[in-house]
Amino acid sequence: MKFIVDQQVEDIEMPENLKLNTFLQEFHSDCPHKECGFGFYGFAFGQSPFPVPQIIQDTLIKNVHKGEYAAVSGIPELRNAISKYNKHYFGIDVIPNRIYVGPGTKELIFNLLEILHGTVILPTPAWLGYLPQIRFLKKNYHMLPTRANKKISPADLRKLALRLQDRQKILILNNPHNPTGLLYDKLELEEIADVCREQNITVISDEIYAQTCYDFSKFVSMGKIYPEGTFVTNGLSKSHAAGGYRLGYVIFPQHAIELKDQFKKILATEYTAVSTPIQHAAVAGFEISSEIDEYFEVTRNIHQIMGEYTYHELSAIEGVKATKPDATFYLLADFNAYSPELQKAKISTSQKLSEALIVHPYHTAIVGGDSLVLERTDFSARIAFVDYNGAAVYKNYLENKPKTSSERTQFVKDNAPKIVLGIKMIEQFFEDLKKNNLHELNAKKSSMITS
Ligand SMILES: Cc1ncc(COP(=O)(O)O)c(C=O)c1O
């Protein structure tokens, strides 16, 4: 039997994160050097390393018997809890019936793109998840490359919007931002909102990293600045380290009454409702409690310590520039200063750079520029600083909170040796490249990994 795949699917590329997974598995398992059995230095995966908060796990266990379908928009207890959560943490007044629960924000963003007419404006660099969805839905789209500060320029946004003929445009705003780790402040959001009002731009504000802001008091939701035109998405995946639970939510703009019915229709058609036990467990994650509050504080402090270290160490490598993260567990490293040497070594694209870094002896996994919706020849990469044992590090942090700058550095050395060694490997790679020595050093270097 030969199956014929629908042309619409044939035309879609495998999302970059899945390609990356396969690529890393193939590469690291091949290394013949015994001392490399540790795998690789993992700067590629965007997953919180911490355990799911105990209170969520316990609530899930208590609700496992709930086999009935849930309401399409989410169980009332959860929509209530999300409403209160938004008031408490983000200062947004949102009645529960403006909230829809879905199987992850990725799906909800897809659903929003399905119901909203218009040309999509995608600022770059961007999270690797948006573009395949936009392409799948065959929507018109335009990139909006950011400038040196890596943030949306309101003037550029206006210029682009003026060129677009569509009655409605959709801006995908990701704040805090994957891959740069940067946070937009209130003024920056207000300037973007002014352009959006003027140019009839609807905003999908992906705020999945909101709780990871190192200084949480600095976070401002676009839902507060531009409530009439913003769809805010958020969920359990990053803040509660529960990506595998597949639970996200979207807050609809005020007065979007007729849209809500259209949206419900799409959700009911595509997945009926999110798993009922998971929704009950999520209530415990969104309810205000000292346990969850402490979890947010500890995890964001650890992300900050790892982020500061990674930023300083990478910036100290000659020719390397990095964004200084305000949130998330990523930063964007710019290796373009090495472009001539990379070209000379026949490393002509960012994908090739990722490949050159994963082979022996470097064994360092990064996400290259084209996966971040940058030019293929842009040697920028996302560096995720989460390659450590989250449960152990959480405990160690509580037992002995590092205070001074040297204690914080020591904390990284003691708790995240793979981050420390991985950055050394990146440094070594560029040193070898400079010396035109990439290949020759391969054999010698293996001993360094274990030391
Ligand atoms: C910017 C951004 N948005 C959305 C998601 C997906 O979130 P969810 O697990 O809720 O689908 C991710 C996950 O990596 C992300 O980085």
Side-chain angles (χ1 to χ4, degrees):
M1 177 88 189
K2 184 162 169 19
F3 297 101
I4 303 165
V5 174
D6 193 282
Q7 192 60 42
Q8 188 194 0
V9 175
E10 283 262 23
D11 292 346
I12 301 295
E13 271 194 56
M14 178 74 88
E16 295 290 346
N17 47 348
L18 294 184
K19 270 202 261 177
L20 188 80
N21 236 325
T22 319
F23 165 73
L24 289 175
Q25 268 154 19
E26 278 171 11
F27 264 82
H28 92 265
S29 55
D30 278 0
C31 190
H33 299 257
K34 257 218 295 279
E35 68 277 16
C36 300
F38 69 97
F40 51 84
Y41 302 110
F43 293 120
F45 291 126
Q47 181 143 272
S48 173
F50 300 110
V52 175
Q54 196 57 45
I55 192 170
I56 300 183
Q57 297 188 34
D58 295 344
T59 314
L60 179 59
I61 291 167
K62 280 195 209 122
N63 285 281
V64 282
H65 62 284
K66 299 211 165 122
E68 67 279 9
Y69 288 113
V72 175
S73 336
I75 58 171
E77 301 92 305
L78 179 55
R79 295 168 92 199
N80 273 327
I82 294 171
S83 163
K84 289 188 185 139
Y85 177 82
N86 272 276
K87 174 85 184 154
H88 180 82
Y89 285 108
F90 309 131
I92 312 180
D93 274 312
V94 41
I95 48 169
N97 79 8
R98 275 173 57 198
I99 297 165
Y100 287 83
V101 174
T105 56
K106 190 177 196 180
E107 178 66 35
L108 288 167
I109 292 167
F110 187 75
N111 302 143
L112 288 173
L113 291 171
E114 280 180 301
I115 64 154
L116 289 170
H117 166 85
T119 301
V120 182
I121 299 174
L122 181 62
T124 59
W127 172 50
L128 41 73
Y130 307 122
L131 194 56
Q133 297 195 344
I134 297 167
R135 289 199 176 126
F136 189 84
L137 290 169
K138 299 197 166 37
K139 292 190 89 75
N140 289 331
Y141 66 92
H142 275 267
M143 312 290 191
L144 179 65
T146 52
R147 293 173 184 249
N149 72 353
K150 303 285 178 227
K151 287 185 174 173
I152 297 167
S153 143
D156 289 351
L157 177 62
R158 179 178 289 109
K159 231 189 284 171
L160 174 59
L162 282 168
R163 272 180 35 219
L164 303 177
Q165 302 299 327
D166 241 319
R167 283 169 295 157
Q168 179 173 272
K169 296 110 198 157
I170 306 156
L171 171 69
I172 298 188
L173 173 74
N174 177 209
N175 183 41
H177 187 252
N178 173 4
T180 61
L182 297 178
L183 177 70
Y184 286 82
D185 66 25
K186 187 161 178 266
L187 189 66
E188 290 166 331
L189 292 177
E190 280 168 352
E191 286 174 355
I192 294 169
D194 285 346
V195 178
C196 292
R197 282 194 187 96
E198 180 194 299
Q199 298 296 326
N200 198 23
I201 303 174
T202 298
V203 176
I204 296 177
S205 189
D206 176 350
E207 300 180 359
I208 194 88
Y209 293 98
Q211 288 290 4
T212 66
C213 284
Y214 306 155
D215 177 353
F216 185 68
S217 68
K218 291 203 175 131
F219 176 76
V220 181
S221 171
M222 192 59 155
K224 222 170 146 180
I225 306 291
Y226 183 40
E228 72 277 29
T230 302
F231 294 81
V232 176
T233 59
N234 203 340
L236 285 183
S237 297
K238 311 296 170 177
S239 44
H240 303 73
Y245 275 47
R246 306 311 302 131
L247 189 131
Y249 66 82
V250 53
I251 301 175
F252 266 53
Q254 290 166 348
H255 317 304
I257 315 268
E258 72 289 4
L259 256 184
K260 288 199 299 196
D261 287 340
Q262 303 291 343
F263 196 64
K264 201 165 164 182
K265 202 166 70 183
I266 291 286
L267 306 194
T269 305
E270 294 190 8
Y271 51 77
T272 308
V274 174
S275 142
T276 309
I278 290 292
Q279 292 203 46
H280 284 280
V283 173
F286 291 121
E287 263 172 3
I288 315 305
S289 68
S290 55
E291 189 173 341
I292 292 291
D293 222 28
E294 179 193 283
Y295 182 88
F296 288 158
E297 197 180 314
V298 170
T299 53
R300 68 167 73 106
N301 287 348
I302 298 172
H303 288 318
Q304 178 175 20
I305 293 170
M306 302 296 173
E308 277 172 357
Y309 178 90
T310 307
Y311 166 75
H312 284 295
E313 292 301 304
L314 280 174
S315 308
I317 302 174
E318 196 195 330
V320 178
K321 281 192 286 189
T323 53
K324 187 167 192 293
D326 306 304
T328 76
F329 27 86
Y330 315 109
L331 56 75
L332 188 76
D334 177 347
F335 304 118
N336 284 298
Y338 287 98
S339 190
E341 289 90 344
L342 287 165
Q343 301 286 355
K344 219 168 107 195
K346 303 238 173 341
I347 299 170
S348 52
T349 62
S350 58
Q351 179 62 29
K352 290 217 165 104
L353 173 59
S354 304
E355 288 171 18
L357 266 163
I358 197 73
V359 297
H360 187 79
Y362 310 107
H363 292 304
T364 300
I366 59 168
V367 177
D370 58 342
S371 305
L372 311 172
V373 203
L374 290 169
E375 295 294 325
R376 301 185 69 222
T377 50
D378 186 330
F379 295 110
S380 296
R382 187 185 78 177
I383 305 290
F385 32 87
V386 285
D387 193 358
Y388 54 86
N389 178 337
V393 176
Y394 191 106
K395 195 162 155 279
N396 293 346
Y397 178 87
L398 278 183
E399 277 166 11
N400 200 357
K401 290 184 191 164
K403 290 181 193 73
T404 64
S405 151
S406 62
E407 281 171 8
R408 291 159 81 85
T409 305
Q410 197 53 47
F411 184 82
V412 180
K413 290 183 176 162
D414 294 342
N415 287 282
K418 283 181 81 183
I419 292 182
V420 176
L421 284 170
I423 298 172
K424 285 212 166 74
M425 278 300 173
I426 294 176
E427 183 173 15
Q428 187 68 55
F429 176 87
F430 286 107
E431 262 171 38
D432 294 352
L433 179 74
K434 259 192 310 200
K435 291 189 217 136
N436 199 12
N437 225 358
L438 275 187
H439 196 72
E440 210 178 283
L441 238 116
N442 284 1
K444 247 200 292 173
K445 274 283 295 306
S446 51
S447 55
M448 192 183 142
I449 300 169
T450 44
S451 61

